[in-house]
């Protein structure tokens, strides 16, 4: 990956983490989580753990 592409990917990753911290559980949260998972290769549970959440927390409305 070219340095500029790597910087762009890191900026996008960081923006997705920020979005997840601000979103309530729901469709937008799940979509953002899916996008971050695709970008990082991390599974859903690992991302939720990084947010201090469990699968149950992420489904609360």
């Amino acid at each position: 990956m070219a340095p500029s592409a790597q910087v762009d990917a890191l900026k996008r990753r960081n923006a997705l983490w920020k979005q997840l911290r601000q979103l309530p559980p729901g469709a937008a949260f799940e979509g953002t989580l899916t996008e971050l998972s695709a970008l990082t290769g991390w599974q859903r549970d690992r991302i939720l753990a990084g947010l201090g959440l469990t699968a149950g927390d992420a489904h609360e409305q």
Side-chain angles (χ1 to χ4, degrees), residues 20 28-38 44 47-48 51 58:
L20 283 173
F29 180 90
E30 291 298 327
T32 303
L33 195 150
T34 299
E35 187 176 348
L36 181 60
S37 178
R44 184 177 191 278
I47 294 171
L48 290 174
L51 295 168

Side-chain angles (χ1 to χ4, degrees), residues 1-13:
M1 185 180 298
S4 62
Q6 189 173 16
V7 168
D8 291 342
L10 291 172
K11 285 181 180 180
R12 182 67 187 141
R13 182 202 64 190

